[in-house]
Amino acid sequence: MSRDADGSTTDRHPLFLPLVVLGGLIQGFGLAYSGMARPEVVLDFLQFDDLGLILVMGGAAVVSGMSFYIATHFLDRAPLSSDQYGRRTRSMDRNVAIGGVVFGVGWGVSGICPGAAYASLGIGNLPILWAIAGMFVGAYIQGYLRSRSQTESSHSITADD
Amino acid sequence: MIEGALEAAMTFFPRGTIQYLVGGVMVAVGIAVIYLGTAIIPGNSTFLETTLSYVSNVPRFNRPSYIASRDWRVVFAFSIVAGAALWGLVLDPGPFVTSVQPWRLFGGGVLVGIGTRIGKGCTAGHGVCGLGSASTTSLVNVVLFVGVAIITATVVAALGVTP
């Protein structure tokens, strides 16, 4: 049973999907509970009216940092995939900066990012479908242009998150 | 002293602090559950690209790794919706409907969709997992997107756009 870092394999561990569901449920609950599924709360942060988002992102980063540290230092291989644990690192290049700026404008206009948008749908916020539709359109535009320019530029950049 | 601290807390955290900390920890625990079981670090924005592979022939979306992960990413996204519903519709009274205008949601969403794909990640990928990995790339991305978002939101508000 082997798989690459994206979880691709023809014969997955029977607990693979249940674990994905469990992780998604916990994350979605956390996003809703923290208020991040409400664009208003994010926009309040961006205008310094409520700094709660720092606690959410900071608390989450500390806990994920702990799990990465424990796994990479003390654990051998993941039980459901036999893959080695790693940290989340990406190579630095101009695209990281450009993407950060474009993302920042979009986040500042809408108060919404991908995970929070999915969670927002869960709390009954149907207008968020506008944001989700927009994200698909944006991802399509980017992917379409990237595919067209692939022949011109030889270096390919991966984005896996 | 204590009164001053309480006053500051009321100023900067008018909705309190506990739900933010607990919610943030849960977001990371959800990621850690999948990570510890599979070694996969599940971000939230790759779902956009991999899901497009169901309906588009554009090569970018049909890379083998995307085809291979697209099914569980759909399951993951729907689980996030369900987990949020458990709190937002079952345990917490009543649905929430934003009053942020549709054009802001859609236009912002388009830019978010473009930006996360160019920039190799979103708030979960860079902000939670990347920072948790002490990744300089993620730190640069997060500082940029938070800074630019603060400026953008301030400008939008100054232009009189409410909500």
Side-chain angles (χ1 to χ4, degrees):
Chain A
M1 172 137 358
S2 70
R3 155 181 325 128
D4 68 21
D6 283 328
S8 52
T9 183
T10 41
D11 63 322
R12 283 209 179 99
H13 194 287
L15 289 177
F16 179 82
L17 276 182
L19 195 76
V20 167
V21 171
L22 178 65
L25 286 173
I26 297 171
Q27 189 185 340
F29 191 100
L31 282 166
Y33 188 77
S34 69
M36 292 302 113
R38 304 182 175 207
E40 280 85 345
V41 178
V42 175
L43 292 171
D44 278 353
F45 164 76
L46 296 174
Q47 292 165 84
F48 304 113
D49 289 329
D50 183 340
L51 303 188
L53 190 141
I54 289 180
L55 302 179
V56 177
M57 207 191 281
V62 167
V63 172
S64 73
M66 278 162 40
S67 66
F68 294 147
Y69 184 85
I70 291 169
T72 53
H73 283 78
F74 303 109
L75 302 180
D76 188 19
R77 279 168 186 276
L80 300 194
S81 68
S82 307
D83 284 337
Q84 261 186 314
Y85 292 109
R87 294 183 303 133
R88 193 210 187 262
T89 53
R90 294 285 184 272
S91 57
M92 182 66 207
D93 56 34
R94 207 160 45 106
N95 281 318
V96 171
I98 296 170
V101 170
V102 175
F103 181 93
V105 174
W107 201 39
V109 166
S110 64
I112 266 302
C113 64
Y118 316 149
S120 200
L121 196 57
I123 60 174
N125 186 18
L126 291 181
I128 210 66
L129 288 170
W130 284 108
I132 295 175
M135 286 176 204
F136 273 113
V137 169
Y140 182 81
I141 292 170
Q142 195 272 341
Y144 180 77
L145 295 177
R146 175 72 59 83
S147 284
R148 277 180 59 117
S149 65
Q150 205 88 64
T151 44
E152 294 157 33
S153 85
S154 54
H155 69 288
S156 85
I157 297 113
T158 56
D160 275 317
D161 150 68
Chain B
M1 181 78 176
I2 293 169
E3 246 174 59
L6 281 176
E7 227 168 83
M10 282 302 291
T11 308
F12 294 115
F13 300 99
R15 298 182 179 94
T17 56
I18 299 302
Q19 83 273 21
Y20 294 128
L21 282 168
V22 172
V25 166
M26 286 188 76
V27 166
V29 168
I31 292 169
V33 162
I34 296 172
Y35 172 74
L36 292 174
T38 66
I40 295 170
I41 299 174
N44 287 324
S45 56
T46 306
F47 163 77
L48 301 169
E49 270 178 310
T50 58
T51 301
L52 284 169
S53 74
Y54 289 110
V55 295
S56 165
N57 293 324
V58 172
R60 170 75 187 170
F61 308 127
N62 287 278
R63 298 187 297 178
S65 66
Y66 281 8
I67 302 287
S69 72
R70 64 183 184 181
D71 289 347
W72 72 254
R73 287 187 192 278
V74 169
V75 171
F76 184 51
F78 275 101
S79 303
I80 291 173
V81 175
L86 184 60
W87 169 251
L89 300 180
V90 180
L91 301 176
D92 192 43
F96 168 83
V97 177
T98 186
S99 40
V100 174
Q101 301 169 55
W103 73 265
R104 293 181 69 176
L105 297 173
F106 183 78
V110 171
L111 293 173
V112 164
I114 295 172
T116 108
R117 298 298 74 216
I118 297 179
K120 310 179 187 183
C122 58
T123 8
H126 280 305
V128 176
C129 299
L131 291 186
S133 298
S135 156
T136 322
T137 301
S138 288
L139 183 62
V140 169
N141 190 273
V142 170
V143 166
L144 275 173
F145 79 63
V146 171
V148 169
I150 287 170
I151 295 167
T152 304
T154 306
V155 168
V156 168
L159 291 174
V161 179
T162 50

